[in-house]
Amino acid sequence: MEKIKGILKRENAFREMTPADAAACEAYAKDYLGYLGIAKTERRAYDEAIRRIEALGFKELSTMDALKPGDKVYRGYHGKTLMAAVIGQKPVAEGIHVIGGHTDAPRIDIKPIPVCEKGGLAYFDTHYYGGIKKFQWVTHPLALYGVVVKPDGTKVEIAVGDKPEDPVFQITDVLPHFGAEQAGKKLNEAFDPEDMDILVGSLPVAKEEDDEDVKEKVKLNILRILEATYGITEEDLVSAELELVPAGMPRELGFDRSMIAGYGHDDRVCAYAGLRALMDLPAVPNRTGMVLLCDKEEIGSVGATGMDSTFFENSVAELIVRQDPTAGDIVVRRALEASRMLSADVCAASDPHFPSADSPNNMAKLNAGGCMIKYTGARGKGGASDARAEFIADLRRIFTAANVTWQAGELGRCEKGGGGTIALYMARYGMDVIDFGVPLLNMHAPWETATKFDCYMTYRAYKAFLED
Ligand code: MN
Ligand code: MN
């Protein structure tokens, strides 16, 4: 009997790689480790992306009056959300190919008036950002990153906790010996976010630096240190964006070093893959290729730097007007409708220890390649962006031709799983869009886990898509 055709496999495909591919995969993973260690906040991801693309000759769009095929440009919003593009042979007005990922990640933010003293210890008051399991973040060493901006416009950068000589910060927890009351609570009720302050000091201010008007001497000591180190006051912290993230550099995981554990894979692993795919495009692609590295996805893509803003359409309009100064609004709308996008975000990988979370037969597996998620949403696909079959069929053509290992699935067990990313905000322009990204273990934990193979195959998929 002839073998039956078209049986879909979702299995470990690592051994199917050619030696050249395996070497490229390893080099890709090493470079990604370097990127992930630097890009610990959305601002740092933005700066690092610009540093990398400027080295390749990308120019700020506002400095270009006209665009021709092969031009490489970028445009940003507020130092957080970035669009980079390589202009294709076909006019932008005929549609572009977009890879859209996000660079914000769940974390612990600092409140506007953070410094406080309790029981003779100094703390920063915090407000968490994004969907976290709070118990995972206590006792973990944390690094502090961000900016403090003064009324005269001076920007003070803070980055402390990741250099070996740096101090770190910590949210403390009760010891197990005294923890019976806590242990009896439900997991999602055991930690009150108002008690998740970070410990920043334990010493009173030196006698010669004392101020009799301030009763809280340990808090005063921290304010003195902030003034001496950064030249900032308590009031300056009101105009600050400070984020606590897990301290430490991403690491290879496992005796076989096949995986990467690190903070912020969601979604820097796809953002990086998109950026690399764009950077590795041929000098003049057929269509204009674009990567979007956006902010605020973890809290609903809100605000000026989230994808529920006009950033994307304005950026497309800015490209079009540089190719045809007479083009009107309708040209932009047609270009958006004719565009296609991979919503580049991570998905949940099947974890053998939590099979009850899996969508039977439809769960991404590690080392089976990047995963295509046709629809997101929850329950009866509520809130979904559901990609059409015709688009998926064309992606199959593209990935097969480029010898990309990919898989398909959905985001967890029906009525247990669900979620969503930026796809729905792009789909409203009428463009084809589908989620495609790297499967993760422990998504949204301080350290998340991906395999090198899946990272590399996702990059290969994005590149094939941009080159089509
Ligand atoms: Mn994400
Ligand atoms: Mn997320």
Side-chain angles (χ1 to χ4, degrees):
M1 287 270 281
E2 209 182 322
K3 278 196 177 167
I4 191 162
K5 295 210 175 86
I7 294 275
L8 196 55
K9 293 179 195 157
R10 184 190 282 110
E11 52 191 38
N12 193 317
F14 183 82
R15 294 194 309 185
E16 308 308 316
M17 277 199 293
T18 63
D21 255 350
C25 173
E26 190 59 25
Y28 178 88
K30 287 274 153 56
D31 195 56
Y32 172 57
L33 275 162
Y35 164 86
L36 191 60
I38 293 168
K40 291 191 92 166
T41 67
E42 66 283 11
R43 284 179 188 265
R44 289 174 69 86
Y46 177 92
D47 292 345
E48 177 63 9
I50 289 180
R51 189 187 70 75
R52 285 172 178 248
I53 60 179
E54 278 189 342
L56 285 182
F58 281 72
K59 297 205 164 53
E60 199 165 8
L61 185 59
S62 61
T63 66
M64 312 273 284
D65 292 332
L67 291 176
K68 58 179 188 313
D71 281 345
K72 299 175 192 170
V73 294
Y74 70 86
R75 175 172 189 261
Y77 256 13
H78 304 173
K80 298 178 180 186
T81 280
L82 183 71
M83 170 288 284
V86 178
I87 305 303
Q89 199 65 54
K90 291 185 176 167
V92 173
E94 288 181 26
I96 65 177
H97 283 166
V98 188
I99 305 288
H102 67 94
T103 53
D104 63 318
R107 60 177 190 255
I108 313 277
D109 281 346
I110 300 298
K111 285 193 187 186
I113 305 169
V115 195
C116 55
E117 181 173 328
K118 297 176 185 175
L121 298 173
Y123 295 91
F124 275 8
D125 209 349
T126 66
H127 195 131
Y128 67 99
Y129 174 97
I132 61 168
K133 291 165 85 171
K134 296 182 196 80
F135 71 88
Q136 293 177 332
W137 293 72
V138 298
T139 74
H140 205 293
L142 299 170
L144 184 69
Y145 285 100
V147 295
V148 182
V149 188
K150 293 170 167 258
D152 67 359
T154 315
K155 195 180 279 186
V156 182
E157 300 252 0
I158 294 180
V160 55
D162 270 331
K163 290 194 218 71
E165 67 274 20
D166 280 352
V168 294
F169 308 96
Q170 189 181 47
I171 300 165
T172 58
D173 193 8
V174 69
L175 59 168
H177 319 57
F178 304 166
E181 187 192 334
Q182 182 193 55
K185 291 180 181 171
K186 283 186 182 169
L187 210 50
N188 62 351
E189 292 166 1
F191 294 88
D192 181 346
E194 288 294 354
D195 290 337
M196 292 177 69
D197 303 328
I198 54 156
L199 187 57
V200 297
S202 69
L203 297 179
V205 71
K207 280 181 182 166
E208 57 276 19
E209 291 187 355
D210 203 359
D211 177 341
E212 286 161 23
D213 293 342
V214 182
K215 267 203 286 213
E216 296 165 313
K217 301 302 179 192
V218 184
K219 170 179 170 172
L220 178 60
N221 191 42
I222 295 302
L223 292 177
R224 291 280 194 223
I225 291 171
L226 291 176
E227 187 180 30
T229 313
Y230 301 108
I232 57 174
T233 65
E234 185 171 28
E235 190 179 317
D236 287 332
L237 291 171
V238 173
S239 51
E241 286 181 331
L242 295 172
E243 305 175 7
L244 284 157
V245 299
M249 291 296 112
R251 308 285 293 266
E252 291 178 311
L253 192 154
F255 282 118
D256 59 10
R257 297 175 180 266
S258 62
M259 295 164 276
I260 298 172
Y263 166 65
H265 279 313
D266 178 9
D267 178 40
R268 293 164 195 147
V269 69
C270 297
Y272 172 82
L275 191 69
R276 275 288 304 267
L278 187 80
M279 290 165 65
D280 295 347
L281 273 185
V284 185
N286 179 31
R287 276 180 199 277
T288 293
M290 178 188 285
V291 63
L292 281 171
L293 306 178
C294 52
D295 182 33
K296 295 290 183 282
E297 190 276 343
E298 294 294 355
I299 57 169
S301 296
V302 292
T305 56
M307 277 306 102
D308 195 10
S309 75
T310 51
F311 176 72
F312 173 63
E313 59 188 275
N314 288 359
S315 297
V316 172
E318 293 283 0
L319 294 178
I320 287 176
V321 77
R322 284 169 173 79
Q323 287 195 322
D324 175 8
T326 66
D329 186 53
I330 187 66
V331 178
V332 176
R333 288 170 189 279
R334 285 174 188 152
L336 290 167
E337 271 187 6
S339 293
R340 309 201 300 170
M341 176 176 177
L342 295 182
S343 170
D345 207 349
V346 296
C347 65
S350 174
D351 184 329
H353 288 109
F354 301 97
S356 66
D358 282 4
S359 170
N361 216 28
N362 275 282
M363 203 66 190
K365 273 184 78 171
L366 292 185
N367 284 321
C371 187
M372 198 188 290
I373 305 279
K374 183 179 188 294
Y375 46 85
T376 51
R379 301 173 304 280
K381 299 194 180 182
S385 174
D386 197 341
R388 65 186 174 125
E390 291 85 346
F391 181 45
I392 300 172
D394 203 43
L395 291 174
R396 288 174 57 203
R397 170 189 65 80
I398 293 169
F399 296 155
T400 302
N403 201 21
V404 171
T405 302
W406 58 276
Q407 51 185 323
E410 67 173 355
L411 214 55
R413 194 176 184 88
C414 190
E415 293 201 340
K416 273 198 178 174
T421 176
I422 65 170
L424 70 165
Y425 303 109
M426 316 312 261
R428 67 182 166 201
Y429 298 116
M431 59 197 268
D432 276 316
V433 52
I434 189 170
D435 272 54
F436 189 103
V438 176
L440 295 189
L441 296 177
N442 344 312
M443 195 194 293
H444 285 205
W447 285 59
E448 301 170 316
T449 298
T451 74
K452 292 177 178 177
F453 176 80
D454 295 335
C455 295
Y456 175 66
M457 279 301 164
T458 299
Y459 152 76
R460 288 267 308 273
Y462 294 169
K463 188 160 176 284
F465 174 70
L466 290 181
E467 283 176 358
D468 185 54

